[in-house]
Amino acid sequence: MKQYDYLIVGAGLYGAVFAHEAKKAGKRCLVIDKRDHIAGNIYTESVEGIHVHRYGAHIFHTSNKAVWQYVNQFAEFNRYTNSPVANYHGEIYNLPFNMNTFNKMWGVVTPAEAKAKIEQQRAEAGITEPKNLEEQAISLVGTDIYEKLIKGYTGKQWGRPCTELPAFIIKRLPVRFTYDDNYFNALYQGIPNGGYTAMVEKMLDGVEIELGVDYLARKAELDKLADQIVYTGPVDAYFDYKLGALQYRSVRFETEVLDTDNYQGNAVVNYTDAETPYTRIIEHKHFEFGTQPKTVISREYSAEWKKGDEPYYPVNDEKNGALYAAYKQLADAEPGVIFGGRLGEYKYYDMDKVIEVALSVAEKELAE
């Protein structure tokens, strides 16, 4: 008999939810992670009494009531609402694009005037069937907003011009002809009081955890410990990149403590011009309405991923989609292994979706 029912590779959200459910069902679990901490990319650490999101801003939002009730077992959430602003060479605009944005850009006051301005610019650009991100953006919000608030930012984020990016990336862009600046517009939204690490700690309460363990480097030995593996690392790395490497965008952070109580007045400020090298600045204290005497900011730089970097965003184009489909066939045929999460499924997942999928997989697995 093996030592554990499940070896869970990755102490992020997917692994933590699965481990919690398995433990509740009386299963013996070992959770391992190659990092020196739990919580994966939602890890928060205390700096100057501020919960700093080490791997970028994570704002919990969902319209799924069951998921909201689930996370509230492990944390109490505050009322933080994501309302980022855009800085274009010192001009400040509301995001998502709403009546404040249109008024600042064009001096329009009514929704009808804003719609007419967008329609005029779309017609002048001669776009009927958008073929790429640039054309899609202009058809949604007009040329001025595209040039100031989308073109530079998106180019930095993806490392390629908007004319080379597919239209679908921006199809869900929130455009509002009201003064609503709630970016997500989800039924439930907030940040866990005390940070995400404390929330994941509660999920993993009573579960055996080993940190600083590189699963792929010790795979043969670790696989012997458990009947089943739940793997949340990169799917291509699991198969030693034998079909080739999937592409990701990575993010680099420059974080500093500043001797001021308020640096930018908002948690998230996007820098939308092409000349500023970073995409945005996060001021962490504003996520929890902090009143500490100092502040902590993180500048985010987007970069092309290479082996050894932290993979963040899958590049969901046709080529990578076809390569992932081939890896998925291998994954589906791999005995005794469940592939899950953002990296295991090569999918951009919001946190609520990770929880929803992990719960669904755990329910099916533990019922057998």
Side-chain angles (χ1 to χ4, degrees):
M1 186 176 165
K2 296 206 175 176
Q3 212 174 325
Y4 301 98
D5 297 302
Y6 292 98
L7 172 68
I8 297 161
V9 181
L13 207 43
Y14 189 103
V17 168
F18 192 97
H20 181 82
E21 294 305 300
K23 181 184 176 288
K24 213 163 65 177
K27 304 294 183 185
R28 295 157 303 144
C29 301
L30 172 64
V31 175
I32 61 171
D33 202 295
K34 68 176 183 181
R35 289 173 172 168
D36 62 359
H37 60 75
I38 61 165
N41 279 7
I42 64 171
Y43 175 69
T44 48
E45 59 188 331
S46 182
V47 179
E48 297 290 338
I50 297 160
H51 294 116
V52 171
H53 298 217
R54 191 195 280 185
Y55 302 97
H58 285 84
I59 297 133
F60 196 89
H61 57 97
T62 188
S63 291
N64 183 326
K65 192 174 184 178
V67 166
W68 182 243
Q69 287 172 334
Y70 187 81
V71 291
N72 273 271
Q73 298 174 85
F74 310 107
E76 192 177 75
F77 283 73
N78 69 17
R79 58 172 182 80
Y80 178 81
T81 300
N82 190 31
S83 302
V85 295
N87 181 323
Y88 178 79
H89 293 308
E91 294 172 24
I92 302 294
Y93 293 92
N94 265 117
L95 296 174
F97 307 129
N98 63 22
M99 285 304 298
N100 279 317
T101 320
F102 306 140
N103 174 264
K104 176 90 183 260
M105 188 70 71
W106 300 312
V108 298
V109 174
T110 67
E113 288 171 326
K115 286 176 184 174
K117 192 77 180 170
I118 291 169
E119 182 49 40
Q120 177 201 335
Q121 294 192 352
R122 191 189 63 74
E124 283 168 2
I127 297 160
T128 47
E129 284 290 314
K131 295 177 191 63
N132 55 44
L133 190 147
E134 178 174 286
E135 293 182 358
Q136 180 68 50
I138 291 170
S139 71
L140 280 172
V141 290
T143 313
D144 293 339
I145 288 176
Y146 167 70
E147 289 289 339
K148 283 191 173 185
L149 304 183
I150 297 172
K151 186 179 181 178
Y153 184 85
T154 308
K156 288 188 289 193
Q157 201 175 25
W158 291 99
R160 32 186 79 69
C162 292
T163 48
E164 290 176 22
L165 290 165
F168 77 80
I169 289 180
I170 212 162
K171 270 191 175 149
R172 292 181 307 164
L173 183 77
V175 181
R176 308 224 177 98
F177 295 95
T178 64
Y179 290 90
D180 179 10
D181 64 353
N182 176 354
Y183 193 86
F184 293 124
N185 220 16
L187 272 177
Y188 311 102
Q189 189 171 171
I191 301 279
N193 292 324
Y196 286 102
T197 305
M199 180 181 94
V200 176
E201 256 167 24
K202 284 198 177 162
M203 286 181 174
L204 290 170
D205 187 35
V207 176
E208 205 176 320
I209 304 162
E210 283 186 30
L211 300 173
V213 178
D214 187 339
Y215 169 70
L216 294 177
R218 295 170 51 191
K219 186 174 179 311
E221 152 206 356
L222 291 166
D223 283 351
K224 290 176 185 159
L225 297 177
D227 295 322
Q228 284 272 95
I229 312 295
V230 177
Y231 176 79
T232 69
V235 62
D236 52 351
Y238 181 93
F239 293 105
D240 201 22
Y241 306 102
K242 68 179 178 186
L243 305 176
L246 289 160
Q247 277 183 295
Y248 293 90
R249 293 296 290 169
S250 193
V251 186
R252 179 172 64 80
F253 303 96
E254 281 180 4
T255 298
E256 59 178 313
V257 177
L258 301 177
D259 203 4
T260 177
D261 66 338
N262 189 358
Y263 174 73
Q264 64 185 18
N266 205 46
V268 183
V269 177
N270 290 2
Y271 284 77
T272 60
D273 61 276
E275 295 74 29
T276 303
Y278 40 86
T279 51
R280 59 183 185 170
I281 296 180
I282 304 301
E283 188 169 7
H284 300 269
K285 72 189 304 179
H286 295 307
F287 288 128
E288 295 184 64
F289 314 108
T291 56
Q292 297 88 346
K294 294 188 179 183
T295 196
V296 182
I297 64 164
S298 297
R299 293 180 184 85
E300 293 190 14
Y301 297 81
S302 190
E304 200 68 38
W305 176 84
K306 56 189 187 303
K307 282 182 197 174
D309 291 346
E310 201 57 57
Y312 279 85
Y313 305 107
V315 179
N316 291 133
D317 59 13
E318 221 170 289
K319 185 184 104 187
N320 284 288
L323 181 55
Y324 171 64
Y327 273 121
K328 186 169 182 344
Q329 281 192 316
L330 294 179
D332 289 345
E334 190 75 357
V337 184
I338 295 165
F339 291 81
R342 194 173 45 92
L343 303 178
E345 297 173 65
Y346 194 66
K347 195 176 279 188
Y348 181 72
Y349 271 138
D350 283 328
M351 286 181 282
D352 63 325
K353 195 67 186 167
V354 171
I355 291 167
E356 189 184 313
V357 172
L359 283 172
S360 165
V361 170
E363 187 182 2
K364 182 169 172 283
E365 171 69 23
L366 297 165
E368 286 173 4

